[in-house]
Amino acid sequence: MAERWESAAFKARVDEVLHGFVADEADLLAAVDPALGAVAEQLEASVSVGKRLRAAFCYWGWRAARQPDSDALVRAAASMELVHAAAVVHDDLIDDSPLRHGRPTAHVALGSAVRHHPQAADAARSLAMLVGDLLMSLAGQLFATSGLPAAYLGRARPLWAALARDLVAGECLEILHTGVTPDTTASLKVIRYKTAKYTVEQPLLIGGALAGAGDRLREGYSAYGLPLGEAFQLRDDLLGLFGDTRHTGKANADDVRGHRPTALLAETWRIAGADERERLRALLGRHDLDEDGLEAVRGVMRRLKTPDRVENMISARVEEALGALHELDVPAAAAHALTGLAHSAAVRVS
């Protein structure tokens, strides 16, 4: 890859790795029994689209440590996208989300395979859970067989335990805080563990560990990665409720109907008066919430200027991340790419 960062070209390289690797695994799964065809198809569908940001952060964690471009490293970086695919399947299952990228989520899509089952909805959810489990297993397999030297892989392997632990901690915290009185501090902790770490910080750290990065550089990765990862999820919160579903590909009532602990909701609750809180209590967590009810929630948030507050939180975190990046002694190409990735992660419509 040329020194100039070509995000589209990098994405194409990652897509080629992912699609080929998962297609082979899906074929092996389907060969066990024809009944597994729908599950194998869903395995492939789970990696069919994506921005490949996590792979990019892993790649530049390697390159910022002054290592050259490497096809083996791209394979290792692509494993981060399988972690993400697994997390998405599980997250959609936990949240009972019907759409992702404008298409039915795994547990919805797999419903057609179990129409005959006496408990079809539960059976489809079970199949989706197993698809997510297999994707996480395949992430480790792709990483281990990437072609990088065993000594390099050994330096990074311990970070996988931290990645999985933090991701599970974040998901558990979201479940535990769902439906309770909104709290901004709690919501930001959910964001940090559920999204920020595995989206930005840990891919960077894994790329750095593969490259043999020193303590100073790894500390810089965390100083850049954590606030940027938080900005990424805060943007997701805004898009989830105020975004155009034609771009986001998600059902924008999910967070309100689920009474999830988003920072957007927590900040609204923090500054709301008694009447506004009473209005929110009547709307949050209602599975039958219609568009009028959803617009009423948006109306409260707009009156309190909560979206503007969250925009300011995003801007402050991006500024913090870029400030940390500017303090690091990294090659110009890496600094340029990581600056661009910061804007791609925090300023987007989907």
Side-chain angles (χ1 to χ4, degrees):
M1 178 175 287
E3 283 301 302
R4 185 169 175 269
W5 171 233
E6 296 287 354
S7 59
F10 176 79
K11 180 182 180 299
R13 292 173 76 187
V14 174
D15 282 345
E16 183 178 7
V17 170
L18 284 175
H19 296 162
F21 177 77
V22 175
D24 288 345
E25 290 295 332
D27 287 345
L28 290 171
L29 181 65
V32 173
D33 190 286
L36 292 168
V39 180
E41 288 176 11
Q42 193 56 46
L43 194 69
E44 291 192 79
S46 297
V47 299
S48 61
V49 296
K51 301 177 184 68
R52 312 312 185 200
L53 286 175
R54 293 154 188 86
F57 284 120
C58 183
Y59 177 85
W60 285 106
W62 163 275
R63 294 298 307 278
R66 304 183 187 279
Q67 290 281 10
D69 178 57
S70 159
D71 287 338
L73 187 279
V74 171
R75 284 180 61 81
S79 70
M80 300 292 99
E81 296 300 328
L82 290 174
V83 172
H84 176 52
V88 164
V89 171
H90 286 152
D91 192 52
D92 288 340
L93 186 58
I94 291 166
D95 293 342
D96 200 23
S97 298
L99 291 174
R100 174 76 65 162
H101 299 301
R103 299 183 301 184
T105 49
H107 62 281
V108 175
L110 286 164
S112 60
V114 289
R115 290 196 187 101
H116 63 281
H117 198 285
Q119 295 177 304
D122 289 342
R125 295 174 69 85
S126 296
L127 289 177
M129 177 185 69
L130 293 168
V131 168
D133 291 347
L134 181 54
L135 285 165
M136 186 63 85
S137 174
L138 292 178
Q141 182 183 336
L142 180 57
F143 184 79
T145 60
S146 62
L148 289 171
Y152 289 25
L153 296 173
R155 290 195 295 251
R157 193 167 288 117
L159 294 174
W160 278 77
L163 183 155
R165 181 177 59 250
D166 288 345
L167 181 53
V168 168
E171 285 284 7
C172 289
L173 285 172
E174 183 177 61
I175 292 168
L176 292 166
H177 288 298
T178 291
V180 304
T181 301
D183 176 80
T184 300
T185 300
S187 293
L188 290 174
K189 179 171 266 191
V190 170
I191 283 173
R192 173 163 288 206
Y193 282 87
K194 182 189 170 187
T195 302
K197 283 180 167 288
Y198 99 91
T199 298
V200 186
E201 184 200 25
Q202 285 160 334
L204 279 167
L205 289 173
I206 287 172
L210 289 168
D215 291 345
R216 174 72 184 92
L217 187 54
R218 293 198 305 271
E219 290 168 3
Y221 286 169
S222 292
Y224 163 90
L226 284 173
L228 181 57
E230 290 176 1
F232 177 90
Q233 184 57 47
L234 289 167
R235 174 63 63 203
D236 219 49
D237 287 354
L238 280 174
L239 290 172
L241 188 54
F242 291 94
D244 186 334
T245 56
R246 292 173 299 178
H247 294 141
T248 65
K250 301 177 185 178
N252 57 11
D254 282 2
D255 288 344
V256 176
R257 285 178 180 153
H259 196 171
R260 294 175 194 151
T262 66
L264 179 62
L265 175 58
E267 276 295 283
T268 300
W269 188 268
R270 184 179 66 82
I271 58 180
D275 291 346
E276 291 155 333
R277 287 186 175 185
E278 190 60 33
R279 180 67 171 139
L280 290 171
R281 283 193 192 96
L283 296 168
L284 296 174
R286 284 183 51 179
H287 292 289
D288 62 346
L289 189 74
D290 59 14
E291 184 57 34
D292 288 341
L294 189 61
E295 188 55 36
V297 174
R298 292 193 190 104
V300 172
M301 291 179 173
R302 290 190 184 105
R303 286 195 298 276
L304 297 175
K305 300 189 183 302
T306 316
D308 293 338
R309 290 174 180 272
V310 174
E311 286 285 1
N312 290 337
M313 293 167 71
I314 293 169
S315 297
R317 282 162 172 77
V318 172
E319 184 177 348
E320 180 183 349
L322 293 177
L325 176 62
H326 294 155
E327 292 296 316
L328 292 177
D329 178 21
V330 298
H336 175 75
L338 290 170
T339 298
L341 284 167
H343 291 294
S344 295
V347 183
R348 64 189 204 281
V349 297
S350 65

